[in-house]
Amino acid sequence: MSNHSTLQRSRYNYFVDREEGVIAYNARTGTFALLAEDVAAVLRGKEPITQLRNTKNLVDMGFLHFDNEVEQVLSKFDSLKNQNSLLHLTLVPTLACNFSCDYCFQTEYRNARFMSPEIQEATLSYVESLIASGRNEVVCTWFGGEPLLAKDIVLNMSQKLCSAIDTLGARRLHMDIITNGILLNLETAKELAAVGIKSAQVSFDALVFKNTKKRGIIDSSGNPSIILRNIKLARDYLNIKVRLNVSAENMHEVPQIIDLLKEHGFAGSYGLARVHNHENEYEFTTDSLGKRITSCGEGGCGSCGSSEPPKDLSSKTLSRSDYARFEWESFLSQPESFQEIVKKLQPKAHFCSATSGRMFVIDPAGYVSRCWHSAGSPSESIDSVLASHTSMKNSDVEQRWKDFSLLAYPACRNCKVLPLCMGGCSHPRIFTESPKPPCESIKNQIQTSVDTIGKIIEIKPEQKELVSTGC
């Protein structure tokens, strides 16, 4: 055990050699700095720290540190839990969907229920109580199922929600919608914009549109698919973000899809996401109520409440490391993706709003959850909009979220990208007790990302006075 009061080199340091000196990057602070060769040699462990005369700047930038560096990351994680001014609201008006993607995590417990008038009013009342408790900045996302199957609910509740936020003196930061785009025609885009919805995320998972299974960018004749046609019209009213869901099955089509997106004016408006198969990866099954049950891997015996073996998408799912390599080669290495690399290198306080206590997901039955994966799963809810608003304080599930540790996965303690991923998705650990960390792609891309930024970052004349051992 090292002496915590001793000046130490950061474990989160990375280096890029340039003619002007060495560009150093620290993942805990997100700092890039131009260093003299002798300083870089000390930080790289080639020379003793005692050679440095003035270390204050290096400590401030994170390249050197006192005390326990991991504890400093943990402190950042814990401090945000006590900052409850932001409300990240996700409303799920229905779990019904007009598509049947085989990798959808809601497949086992999908139903055709829509938010009833009673649930809608109770939801608005619940949100008002959260704002009144001090959550005076609101971000709202419409999610599903396919939320545009419940367009009237989305439009009506958006208007009432905006009115309530304004009346209570809170700030509306952003309202968006996640949709498959089939119903996002020009008139709908106008209607969404009119009630305060600013942006829409739409996903593609194939080159060619095929019935309700493949959300393709072109049709069988090679013309723009209905989804592409819709979002081209909708972007006059909404900020469109395109997501490409990548699997082993469609990865060979991604370059073509990207070329088509650029051709139709979406360069810089798209990103990639790995198709997940949590059930196989974390060895559980999901019952009709959304409860996660540890899988024996056999299926069909009935002991876990399922008469069917778990769906096997392993042949269609890229491993995390394979996806990281593919994402870099097909997307991040492109000039227009520079800002995406910068985002990946920005330190976080939490992986998402679920562990910070800021996320409230309300499903069609009125159950309140912390995570999008829990929408429609009563066993993973922390509350109900129909219950007393104090019931959440006694929720066992809510306590599990509160108790979640950044170091729930022991491997994270010594990981050099911990400040960038903050442990990754917490859902598998909380509800399946998986011991395997869901590592984000940055773990496999970190040095290449730093090299890319470090080699092209502009050094202004006034910045060429290097940090050196004699400073």
Side-chain angles (χ1 to χ4, degrees):
M1 180 69 69
S2 60
N3 184 344
H4 289 177
S5 63
T6 302
L7 190 61
Q8 303 168 66
R9 301 174 183 87
S10 172
R11 72 182 65 200
Y12 305 122
N13 289 340
Y14 296 84
F15 304 94
V16 182
D17 294 311
R18 283 179 52 156
E19 289 183 6
E20 303 93 334
V22 177
I23 297 290
Y25 163 76
N26 182 266
R28 181 172 64 82
T29 63
T31 299
F32 277 90
L34 178 63
L35 307 179
E37 294 280 359
D38 53 356
V39 174
V42 173
L43 296 182
R44 283 170 156 165
K46 297 178 180 179
E47 300 292 342
I49 294 179
T50 52
Q51 286 200 9
L52 298 173
R53 295 183 185 178
N54 186 348
T55 59
K56 183 180 183 304
N57 285 346
L58 294 170
V59 171
D60 290 343
M61 291 186 289
F63 300 115
L64 294 174
H65 70 94
F66 292 99
D67 303 317
N68 187 314
E69 192 175 30
V70 176
E71 290 298 326
Q72 294 177 44
V73 178
L74 290 174
S75 176
K76 184 177 181 180
F77 177 86
D78 291 335
S79 66
L80 190 64
K81 288 185 177 182
N82 300 319
Q83 298 174 16
N84 294 321
S85 62
L86 179 66
L87 168 59
H88 191 168
L89 182 66
T90 298
L91 298 179
V92 185
T94 182
L95 288 173
C97 191
N98 49 4
F99 256 70
S100 53
C101 305
D102 56 8
Y103 54 82
C104 180
F105 62 84
Q106 294 173 338
T107 299
E108 287 77 11
Y109 54 97
R110 186 176 302 289
N111 60 68
R113 182 170 185 165
F114 287 70
M115 271 191 180
S116 67
E118 179 189 18
I119 296 295
Q120 293 175 50
E121 289 304 314
T123 295
L124 290 168
S125 176
Y126 189 88
V127 173
E128 288 172 354
S129 72
L130 291 172
I131 295 173
S133 71
R135 297 177 184 270
N136 55 15
E137 295 181 317
V138 183
V139 174
C140 180
T141 298
W142 287 99
F143 184 54
E146 172 46 54
L148 289 182
L149 288 174
K151 185 176 75 169
D152 289 344
I153 297 175
V154 173
L155 297 176
N156 180 52
M157 287 190 68
S158 291
Q159 283 184 312
K160 291 182 176 180
L161 182 62
C162 289
S163 177
I165 293 170
D166 294 343
T167 299
L168 291 168
R171 292 177 60 209
R172 284 186 277 139
L173 298 184
H174 191 69
M175 186 180 291
D176 59 11
I177 188 168
I178 296 176
T179 169
N180 59 35
I182 295 294
L183 302 175
L184 189 62
N185 54 38
L186 181 60
E187 184 60 32
T188 295
K190 292 180 183 179
E191 292 174 320
L192 295 176
V195 297
I197 294 173
K198 302 296 185 184
S199 64
Q201 177 183 294
V202 177
S203 297
F204 291 101
D205 52 28
L207 177 64
V208 180
F209 190 100
K210 296 178 183 178
N211 51 60
T212 63
K213 289 286 187 182
K214 302 297 182 185
R215 291 174 290 180
I217 195 167
I218 57 175
D219 61 25
S220 57
S221 300
N223 298 314
S225 69
I226 182 173
I227 301 176
L228 181 56
R229 295 199 304 272
N230 279 347
I231 63 175
K232 289 179 68 175
L233 294 172
R235 65 184 170 188
D236 286 338
Y237 297 91
L238 301 170
N239 180 23
I240 302 295
K241 298 293 184 183
V242 176
R243 168 171 154 154
L244 304 183
N245 290 335
V246 180
S247 67
E249 188 177 35
N250 70 6
M251 59 187 293
H252 66 285
E253 297 178 333
V254 169
Q256 269 184 284
I257 297 173
I258 289 176
D259 287 344
L260 285 167
L261 285 172
K262 293 178 182 177
E263 179 183 324
H264 288 277
F266 289 98
S269 299
Y270 68 91
L272 272 58
R274 174 178 172 263
V275 169
H276 293 283
N277 178 17
H278 284 168
E279 295 199 356
N280 282 93
E281 189 170 5
Y282 299 112
E283 298 181 345
F284 66 86
T285 58
T286 305
D287 68 16
S288 59
L289 294 177
K291 185 176 182 180
R292 324 298 170 177
I293 304 166
T294 301
S295 172
C296 60
E298 300 293 333
C301 66
S303 61
C304 64
S306 173
S307 59
E308 299 291 337
K311 58 185 177 184
D312 185 4
L313 299 175
S314 55
S315 62
K316 300 180 181 180
T317 306
L318 288 169
S319 70
R320 291 179 181 270
S321 58
D322 285 345
Y323 170 75
R325 182 166 52 253
F326 178 82
E327 182 188 34
W328 183 269
E329 293 172 352
S330 63
F331 174 52
L332 295 175
S333 61
Q334 305 301 313
E336 64 267 22
S337 300
F338 175 82
Q339 288 301 323
E340 292 301 317
I341 301 175
V342 172
K343 287 180 185 178
K344 281 177 174 275
L345 294 178
Q346 291 175 346
K348 298 177 177 63
H350 284 252
F351 175 73
C352 74
S353 296
T355 51
S356 70
R358 296 176 167 186
M359 176 74 82
F360 290 80
V361 182
I362 303 177
D363 71 19
Y367 288 109
V368 184
S369 306
R370 283 283 180 229
C371 177
W372 291 10
H373 281 277
S374 298
S377 174
S379 66
E380 294 181 5
S381 67
I382 60 172
D383 203 357
S384 167
V385 298
L386 298 176
S388 164
H389 293 169
T390 61
S391 62
M392 183 179 68
K393 297 177 182 178
N394 300 315
S395 167
D396 172 65
V397 175
E398 173 67 357
Q399 193 59 49
R400 286 156 72 181
W401 280 108
K402 287 182 177 179
D403 292 342
F404 179 79
S405 167
L406 183 57
L407 301 181
Y409 307 98
C412 294
R413 176 173 288 277
N414 297 317
C415 181
K416 290 189 66 177
V417 299
L418 178 63
L420 304 180
C421 74
M422 298 306 274
C425 179
S426 51
H427 185 273
R429 179 65 177 182
I430 289 176
F431 294 109
T432 70
E433 298 184 350
S434 169
K436 183 167 54 176
C439 297
E440 292 297 298
S441 55
I442 187 61
K443 181 175 182 179
N444 295 284
Q445 300 165 343
I446 180 67
Q447 188 61 61
T448 309
S449 297
V450 174
D451 287 344
T452 299
I453 303 299
K455 289 174 182 176
I456 64 176
I457 196 169
E458 181 183 356
I459 300 174
K460 299 178 181 178
E462 63 269 23
Q463 294 173 322
K464 289 187 176 179
E465 185 152 336
L466 311 183
V467 176
S468 70
T469 53
C471 66

